[in-house]
Amino acid sequence: MNDGLPIGVLARRTGLAVSAIRYYEDQGLVRPWRNAGGQRRFSRSDLRRLSFVMIAQQFGFTLPQIKAELDKLPGGRTPTKADWARISHSFSKALDEKITALVRLRDNLDGCIGCGCLSLRSCKLYNAEDRAREKGPGPRYLLGDRPE
Amino acid sequence: MNDGLPIGVLARRTGLAVSAIRYYEDQGLVRPWRNAGGQRRFSRSDLRRLSFVMIAQQFGFTLPQIKAELDKLPGGRTPTKADWARISHSFSKALDEKITALVRLRDNLDGCIGCGCLSLRSCKLYNAEDRAREKGPGPRYLLGDRPE
DNA sequence: TTAATTCCTCAAGTTAACTTTAGATCAAGC
DNA sequence: GCTTGATCTAAAGTTAACTTGAGGAATTAA
């Protein structure tokens, strides 16, 4: 009874394709064991790992970034609710910061007269772009750096 | 003086590569005109369009989704601050909903004893997954549907 | 026990979002 | 006018994140 879940069950429960779950194993996001016949068996907590992956992806995180988050979970034992609460919390905090930047963009528009931008010197957004420009070549991110 | 910005200036101001901006034109995200010599000229408001694209991408929106948002801006005239405020607002509202779902995931963990999940029947997360499962085959999104 | 289903690996194919390359033209400063 | 740097097009290449397909083995239900 407690011999783990086969991959198809994980797929049905999460909505992921079987091939996607196998790919996630390749990328180190889950670590199933094998049964006597060589088939993957997952623990129930992997349902949670996969849910986390799906959610994080919807927010634009890459698989390596997500792996880095998941790697913060304890290695030897099954993660506790406290482990998960901590990781989710730091995660939603990072998102809150991104959102703050988005709201700031919206609010900054109020300083401009229509668009154009007719009053460039007083436009905070314009200045924000100029400030980003001073940081040198290569892509810069208006929202600050990407996570991790 | 008011003959528009060349692509290189847009690139320096936004941090995007010139090739990326040209690609965005192909995808219909910006619509520069051409000068006598056939070179692209952009309006200043395109700086804002591109900033919006960059921000939206960080939140995992695809280019078609972003285009759909930008297409809501008025066609004939330069967008006003009110236009931009409206689009940013609906955008951050969608994100707030996603975040709410994330927080719900975190909070749901409190119903479980450690993990395992030892008390499956009382685990809200487990039930949430089962509910998703009932919606039929194909991928389902724990956070509700993707935007647009 | 047999049939249907599920699973396995490995290699190749796919899509989105770009970048790179090549060869040519345009624009700006001296 | 000339040179240097920016820009042009078109086609091919790249990376992440998967999916698909082939051929075969394991599990499960009857």
Side-chain angles (χ1 to χ4, degrees), chain B residues 2-24:
Chain B
N2 206 358
D3 42 16
L5 307 169
I7 197 167
V9 171
L10 273 269
R12 277 192 299 278
R13 291 271 179 87
T14 59
L16 290 167
V18 166
S19 59
I21 299 176
R22 283 199 273 250
Y23 177 74
Y24 291 158

Side-chain angles (χ1 to χ4, degrees), chain B residues 101-112:
Chain B
L102 178 67
V103 170
R104 198 183 323 128
L105 167 68
R106 182 188 68 210
D107 292 347
N108 279 343
L109 297 175
D110 297 343
C112 301

Side-chain angles (χ1 to χ4, degrees), chain A residues 123-142:
Chain A
C123 176
K124 291 177 204 164
L125 180 61
Y126 174 88
N127 289 325
E129 279 153 355
D130 267 0
R131 251 179 281 118
R133 188 166 68 95
E134 284 160 14
K135 289 197 175 178
R140 289 129 249 165
Y141 305 108
L142 293 175

Side-chain angles (χ1 to χ4, degrees), chain B residues 10-11 20 32-33 46 53 57 64 73 80 98 115 118 120 122 130 142 146:
Chain B
L10 273 269
W33 65 92
D46 286 332
V53 172
Q57 276 192 303
L73 288 171
T80 67
K98 280 191 179 186
C115 198
L118 302 183
L120 270 186
S122 71
D130 266 359
L142 293 175
R146 293 170 190 276

Side-chain angles (χ1 to χ4, degrees), chain B residues 45-143:
Chain B
S45 63
D46 286 332
L47 281 169
R48 191 160 298 162
R49 284 180 86 89
L50 292 177
S51 297
F52 184 81
V53 172
M54 295 172 77
I55 290 175
Q57 276 192 303
Q58 283 213 29
F59 284 107
F61 291 86
T62 65
L63 294 187
Q65 288 170 338
I66 296 168
K67 174 173 158 46
E69 278 302 307
L70 287 174
D71 283 350
K72 293 180 188 165
L73 288 171
R77 58 185 169 76
T78 304
T80 67
K81 64 176 177 180
D83 295 323
W84 278 109
R86 185 162 37 75
I87 197 174
S88 308
H89 185 67
S90 83
F91 191 68
S92 61
K93 228 180 77 177
L95 289 177
D96 279 340
E97 281 164 21
K98 280 191 179 186
I99 288 198
T100 299
L102 178 67
V103 170
R104 198 183 323 128
L105 167 68
R106 182 188 68 210
D107 292 347
N108 279 343
L109 297 175
D110 297 343
C112 301
I113 303 173
C115 198
C117 212
L118 302 183
S119 62
L120 270 186
R121 284 295 133 202
S122 71
C123 175
K124 291 178 204 165
L125 180 62
Y126 175 89
N127 289 325
E129 279 152 355
D130 266 359
R131 250 179 281 118
R133 187 165 69 93
E134 285 159 14
K135 288 196 173 176
R140 291 128 248 165
Y141 305 108
L142 293 175
L143 290 173

Side-chain angles (χ1 to χ4, degrees), chain A residues 45 48-49 73-74 77-84, chain B residues 114-116:
Chain A
S45 63
R48 193 160 295 161
R49 283 180 87 91
L73 288 171
R77 57 185 170 76
T78 305
T80 67
K81 64 176 178 179
D83 295 323
W84 277 108
Chain B
C115 198

